[in-house]
């Protein structure tokens, strides 16, 4: 299974939580994920905030750390931290809220000095934790543990796309294609088995009818060869065709390749200038194979799902007699 990395946006007030942000980033990196922090692009105006929203769009999870300060205000009186949270919630990004459990213990430099600031922070905390679980922390170590537990829980309960290395994705796509090809091969083998059954039944019917009335080895067969679009008409006795075919079959040549191999033998025998990949038609080839099977000189066999031809005992004897040297 491919290994995913998740991009996690970290939001917080900045000056008072530098150490805490760094601890959260380190925890995320050690977990194998990718932290994104706003300190790389501080939001100072609407144009920069639009850029931050585009970064949030690409993230899988949203982590917000809240201490004792509400943060820098935009022109509408809302902090950029709250604006980031509102946007993440709006697009449905899973939110992990990490709230200080004892803000009264924080030094004065890390808490809101004005009553208005404290009221805004209180309202934000209420909105942040309403209908949402939160993790509390009181120290940097406690924050590390809280964020690790919260992220593991979010991954287990709220699946996200994540990021995957291109090489792993390519390997997965290759495996998918292999599985599809294997399925196609199984289907083709099943279809082939049905044709083999039909072929066996037809062969049995011919055998039962006997050999009377069938063309014999000294009878003529008209053969057409396709030589790169040029049709060559030739006449052979069935005996000649059989002597061409037997040596190729004995080489255990692939069944589908026999049509081309027999043309090469014919080209050499008749001294013809045929195209390298000339072949006889599929219909003529099947006629030749079926006829020799009907004469009981060849028989079909299946080896590991591959259609093949073999020479019968009678076929071997017949070939020897055809190739034997006669008296002048």
């Amino acid at each position: 299974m491919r290994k995913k990395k998740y991009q996690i946006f970290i939001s917080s007030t900045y000056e008072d939580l530098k150490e805490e942000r760094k601890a959260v980033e380190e925890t995320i990196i050690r977990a194998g994920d990718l932290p994104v922090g706003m300190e790389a692009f501080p939001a100072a105006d609407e144009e920069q905030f639009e850029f931050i929203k585009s970064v949030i769009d690409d993230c899988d999870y949203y982590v917000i750390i809240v201490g004792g300060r509400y943060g820098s205000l935009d022109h509408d009186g809302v902090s950029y931290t709250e604006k980031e949270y509102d946007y993440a919630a709006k697009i449905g990004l899973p939110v992990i809220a990490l709230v200080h459990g004892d803000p009264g213990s924080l030094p004065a430099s890390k808490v809101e000095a004005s009553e208005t600031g404290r009221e805004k922070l209180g309202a934000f905390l209420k909105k942040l934790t309403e209908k949402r679980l939160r993790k509390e922390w009181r120290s940097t170590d406690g924050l590390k543990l809280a964020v690790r537990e919260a992220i593991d829980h979010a991954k287990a309960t709220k699946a996200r796309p994540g990021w995957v290395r291109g090489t792993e994705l390519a390997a997965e796509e290759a495996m998918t294609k292999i599985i599809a090809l294997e399925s196609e091969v199984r289907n083709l083998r099943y279809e082939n088995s049905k044709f083999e059954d039909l072929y066996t039944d037809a062969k049995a019917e011919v055998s039962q009818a006997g050999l009377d009335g069938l063309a014999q080895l000294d009878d003529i067969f008209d053969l057409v060869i396709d030589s790169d679009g040029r049709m060559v008409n030739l006449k052979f006795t069935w005996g000649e065709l059989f002597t061409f075919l037997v040596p190729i079959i004995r080489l255990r040549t692939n069944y589908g390749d026999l049509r081309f191999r027999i043309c090469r033998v014919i080209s050499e025998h008749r001294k013809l200038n045929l195209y390298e990949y000339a072949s006889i038609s599929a219909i003529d080839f099947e006629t030749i194979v079926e006829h020799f099977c009907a004469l009981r000189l060849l028989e079909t066999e299946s080896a590991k799902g591959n259609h093949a031809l073999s020479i019968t005992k009678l076929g071997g004897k017949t070939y020897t007699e055809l190739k034997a040297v006669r008296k002048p």
Side-chain angles (χ1 to χ4, degrees):
M1 180 180 291
R2 61 189 183 185
K3 185 178 180 181
K4 289 184 179 180
K5 291 181 180 292
Y6 297 94
Q7 188 161 297
I8 302 172
F9 191 93
I10 304 172
S11 180
S12 75
T13 52
Y14 182 61
E15 291 296 335
D16 59 317
L17 293 175
K18 285 183 179 180
E19 183 181 347
E20 288 78 2
R21 289 178 64 87
K22 184 178 180 181
V24 170
E25 287 174 359
E26 290 175 352
T27 302
I28 290 171
I29 291 171
R30 284 176 183 155
D33 295 315
L34 310 169
V36 178
M38 57 75 65
E39 66 272 13
F41 31 85
D45 53 42
E46 282 299 320
E47 184 178 345
Q48 287 177 319
F49 185 66
E50 287 301 313
F51 175 66
I52 290 175
K53 289 198 295 186
S54 71
V55 175
I56 294 175
D57 287 336
D58 289 335
C59 289
D60 297 291
Y61 300 98
Y62 176 90
V63 171
I64 180 166
I65 312 167
V66 182
R69 297 186 64 179
Y70 180 59
S72 302
L73 304 181
D74 194 6
H75 61 81
D76 57 1
V78 180
S79 73
Y80 282 104
T81 304
E82 185 170 357
K83 280 179 173 287
E84 290 172 357
Y85 163 74
D86 288 342
Y87 182 72
K90 177 183 176 181
I91 65 173
L93 206 61
V95 174
I96 297 169
L98 304 168
V99 180
H100 199 287
D102 185 15
S105 66
L106 294 170
S109 62
K110 294 190 174 186
V111 296
E112 288 292 338
S114 67
E115 183 63 29
T116 302
R118 288 193 291 273
E119 287 178 358
K120 287 181 178 290
L121 176 61
F124 179 42
L125 283 171
K126 183 178 180 182
K127 177 169 68 173
L128 183 64
T129 57
E130 195 173 49
K131 298 179 182 179
R132 180 175 285 107
L133 293 176
R134 70 180 189 181
K135 285 278 188 178
E136 292 190 353
W137 59 277
R138 288 178 170 78
S139 65
T140 303
D141 288 339
L143 179 61
K144 289 180 180 180
L145 179 61
V147 72
R148 182 59 188 267
E149 289 177 348
I151 289 175
D152 287 346
H153 178 72
K155 289 178 183 178
T157 58
K158 299 174 182 178
R160 299 290 295 170
W163 300 82
V164 182
R165 286 175 63 93
T167 52
E168 294 184 18
L169 189 60
E172 182 172 300
E173 289 175 351
M175 182 57 69
T176 301
K177 290 180 180 178
I178 289 172
I179 293 172
L181 288 172
E182 287 178 343
S183 176
E184 185 177 351
V185 168
R186 285 195 296 271
N187 291 335
L188 289 173
R189 284 177 176 171
Y190 173 71
E191 292 297 324
N192 187 57
S193 68
K194 293 194 293 184
F195 284 116
E196 285 183 351
D197 291 342
L198 292 173
Y199 182 80
T200 301
D201 292 343
K203 177 184 169 185
E205 290 178 6
V206 172
S207 296
Q208 290 171 2
L211 303 180
D212 294 338
L214 297 181
Q216 299 303 307
L217 295 179
D218 55 352
D219 290 322
I220 301 296
F221 179 73
D222 294 319
L223 187 66
V224 179
I225 296 178
D226 182 359
S227 179
D228 196 22
R230 179 171 62 93
M231 298 304 173
V232 180
N233 296 287
L234 300 170
K235 293 182 181 293
F236 297 94
T237 66
W238 283 101
E240 282 182 294
L241 289 174
F242 190 67
T243 60
F244 296 157
L245 198 57
V246 168
I248 305 173
I249 294 174
R250 283 179 172 170
L251 292 174
R252 308 301 292 178
T253 301
N254 180 277
Y255 183 88
D257 200 35
L258 283 171
R259 289 170 52 197
F260 303 93
R261 291 291 186 91
I262 194 172
C263 281
R264 294 177 195 170
V265 175
I266 290 171
S267 181
E268 293 173 3
H269 184 265
R270 291 284 180 95
K271 295 181 173 54
L272 302 173
N273 186 22
L274 296 178
Y275 176 60
E276 181 181 2
Y277 298 106
S279 68
I280 62 177
S281 71
I283 294 175
D284 279 354
F285 178 71
E286 290 298 329
T287 299
I288 292 169
V289 170
E290 293 286 354
H291 189 67
F292 287 137
C293 287
L295 293 176
R296 299 171 190 168
L297 303 178
L298 298 179
E299 62 184 1
T300 59
E301 60 182 18
S302 294
K304 297 182 180 180
N306 295 320
H307 200 47
L309 287 171
S310 61
I311 305 162
T312 64
K313 187 175 180 179
L314 175 62
K317 180 182 178 182
T318 302
Y319 177 76
T320 301
E321 291 175 352
L322 288 171
K323 295 296 291 183
V325 179
R326 307 291 180 182
K327 284 185 179 182

